[in-house]
Amino acid sequence: MRLGARIFKTGLSVTLALYVAGWLDFQSPAFAALAAFFAVQPSVRKSLTLIWDQVQANVLSAILAVVFVLAFGQEPFVVGAVVLLIIAIHIQLKKEAIIPLAVVTAIIIMGSPTTDFMELAFNRFLLIMIGVFSAFAVNLVFLPPKHENQLYHKITDVNDDIIQWIRLLLHHEVDYRTLKEDLKKQRDQLNKIDETYLLYKDERGIFRKQEYATLRKVVLFRQMIRSTRQAHRILENLTMNDNLIHQLPEDMAQTLRLQLDDITNYHERILLKYAGKVKPHATEDYYEEVSSGKKVLMTGFLKTRNDSDFEETDWMTFLPVVAQVIEYCDDIEYLDRLVDRFYNYHTEDNEVFIKERSDY
């Protein structure tokens, strides 16, 4: 089992909160640790944007908890009513992310003994704030996330797998049971890529110059993901229409194979170009082949409509597949232009942080 950075940050935050609470001689330092656990965020930027919301939520929860205890006591239904009120307020304010911490704050404070309630409630509020700021400090200083590296390798891994299956399918060398299992795995991988992309999108840097540089890469990665998803859709459609591939006229089948071979090779080279593993102009020949191949593919497919061996219903069924291949070509060409622009403009700001898997 591999432990991620967030798990380590959570452990460090809890440890720091306990040490600080103990150093300040607070009783029940576990409350600080509990708050730290809930306050840890997956990215530095998210931590920066949520810290003020967390402080406000804790203050609001503390006020509601104290008011309700003084007015109605500490009966369970009172605690439940406060929890419902806190949840409703934060949903109304569209601050759902901090509801768990706000609820924990209220429960901890309302659980204070009635003797010297105000003093104990204030101490527990301070413990919670120690936990929140401990998590914030750890998130800001320790184990900065490597989402760019992770995202790139996740994209290339699933992309390589998809392309391999497309080639096998076109050459009729597929084990369909394994292919169906892999299609499901690929869907799961693509969903995880989307999650990593959202985390990376949040990591824009603290300074404006860093933010602009990261935003340019965010656009690039969004197109990488779109292109990979397009390849996956083609694989799914080719799988569903495999019987029609066998019925295609030989010239058309050959044209389809050549175009998909060219576009998948082009796709692979672009990803390598982004990582600096191939020369900047290494994709120019592929661009020409793919661009001219789109016209050949469409022209050839239109001719098959008049082929007596290929029924019109089959032609209509296979038309979306051809349209997707052309759309895939367009997506890859656009991705190539984005990579070229990335390296040709703002060169002093644009840095790529791609390392081998063993380095992260």
Side-chain angles (χ1 to χ4, degrees):
M1 182 180 67
R2 184 175 177 179
L3 300 179
R6 188 173 183 181
I7 296 174
F8 282 109
K9 286 194 291 186
T10 302
L12 286 171
S13 300
V14 168
T15 303
L16 179 61
L18 289 170
Y19 271 121
V20 172
W23 180 64
L24 294 174
D25 203 25
F26 277 97
Q27 293 183 348
S28 303
F31 292 136
L34 186 62
F37 173 80
F38 281 102
V40 173
Q41 297 300 321
S43 68
V44 175
R45 185 175 181 85
K46 200 159 190 177
S47 185
L48 287 168
T49 55
L50 283 183
I51 182 64
W52 178 236
D53 288 341
Q54 289 172 339
V55 171
Q56 288 179 310
N58 285 331
V59 171
L60 175 62
S61 296
I63 291 172
L64 288 174
V66 169
V67 169
F68 271 73
V69 168
L70 293 177
F72 305 107
Q74 294 174 303
E75 295 298 324
F77 77 89
V78 178
V79 178
V82 171
V83 168
L84 287 174
L85 185 59
I86 289 171
I87 293 172
I89 290 172
H90 286 90
I91 289 176
Q92 186 66 29
L93 295 173
K94 301 188 186 302
K95 303 288 185 182
E96 292 89 347
I98 51 178
I99 287 176
L101 180 61
V103 168
V104 166
T105 300
I107 293 173
I108 288 174
I109 290 174
M110 295 184 80
S112 304
T114 52
T115 306
D116 299 325
F117 171 74
M118 289 299 295
E119 181 181 349
L120 286 171
F122 182 68
N123 284 342
R124 291 190 176 186
F125 173 74
L126 291 178
L127 280 168
I128 291 164
M129 296 310 297
I130 287 171
V132 169
F133 281 104
S134 295
F136 175 72
V138 168
N139 213 48
L140 204 61
V141 176
F142 294 100
L143 299 171
K146 299 177 181 178
H147 294 136
E148 179 181 347
N149 210 41
Q150 295 171 12
L151 187 56
Y152 175 80
H153 285 298
K154 285 180 179 180
I155 291 171
T156 54
D157 285 347
V158 70
N159 198 71
D160 289 345
D161 194 39
I162 291 168
I163 287 173
Q164 184 183 62
W165 278 116
I166 289 175
R167 289 168 179 162
L168 289 172
L169 194 62
L170 290 173
H171 290 85
H172 313 300
E173 299 173 355
V174 169
D175 179 82
Y176 285 95
R177 183 177 177 181
T178 308
L179 173 57
K180 288 180 180 178
E181 291 174 358
D182 267 18
L183 281 170
K184 185 179 183 303
K185 289 178 185 176
Q186 289 162 8
R187 282 191 289 270
D188 293 338
Q189 288 173 310
L190 287 167
N191 290 334
K192 289 178 181 178
I193 285 172
D194 287 339
E195 293 172 6
T196 306
Y197 170 75
L198 291 176
L199 292 174
Y200 178 63
K201 192 177 177 182
D202 279 338
E203 287 296 325
R204 297 185 186 174
I206 300 172
F207 304 106
R208 189 172 296 274
K209 187 176 180 181
Q210 290 177 316
E211 183 173 353
Y212 287 151
T214 304
L215 280 172
R216 285 190 284 272
K217 286 193 280 189
V218 164
V219 173
L220 252 173
F221 275 109
R222 184 175 61 204
Q223 185 61 25
M224 284 185 193
I225 295 168
R226 175 184 167 85
S227 301
T228 299
R229 281 195 172 277
Q230 189 68 16
H232 185 255
R233 281 192 288 270
I234 289 172
L235 176 59
E236 287 183 318
N237 269 332
L238 289 174
T239 304
M240 288 188 295
N241 296 287
D242 184 49
N243 61 319
L244 294 182
I245 297 175
H246 288 280
Q247 297 174 31
L248 284 172
E250 183 55 35
D251 289 347
M252 181 59 206
Q254 180 69 11
T255 301
L256 181 64
R257 277 196 297 270
L258 288 174
Q259 183 64 6
L260 279 170
D261 276 341
D262 287 341
I263 191 61
T264 50
N265 285 329
Y266 189 20
H267 195 171
E268 289 173 326
R269 293 301 187 282
I270 294 170
L271 294 178
L272 290 172
K273 183 165 75 170
Y274 176 76
K277 294 182 178 180
V278 298
K279 295 178 180 178
H281 303 293
T283 59
E284 289 181 358
D285 291 339
Y286 286 104
Y287 173 80
E288 297 296 333
E289 291 174 6
V290 168
S291 184
S292 60
K294 284 191 295 184
K295 300 174 185 176
V296 174
L297 177 66
M298 199 65 224
T299 303
F301 186 66
L302 289 173
K303 287 180 180 178
T304 61
R305 189 169 189 180
N306 300 320
D307 195 302
S308 58
D309 295 329
F310 198 57
E311 296 182 8
E312 186 168 353
T313 53
D314 293 336
W315 190 90
M316 294 296 293
T317 302
F318 204 71
L319 177 61
V321 179
V322 176
Q324 278 190 333
V325 173
I326 292 172
E327 187 178 354
Y328 180 35
C329 295
D330 292 338
D331 283 337
I332 294 303
E333 288 172 354
Y334 180 52
L335 177 60
D336 194 20
R337 289 197 297 273
L338 286 177
V339 174
D340 283 340
R341 290 172 189 168
F342 179 80
Y343 279 110
N344 291 333
Y345 301 99
H346 309 285
T347 53
E348 70 281 0
D349 300 332
N350 294 339
E351 293 183 84
V352 175
F353 304 100
I354 305 298
K355 298 180 181 179
E356 297 303 320
R357 290 173 182 80
S358 59
D359 294 332
Y360 74 91

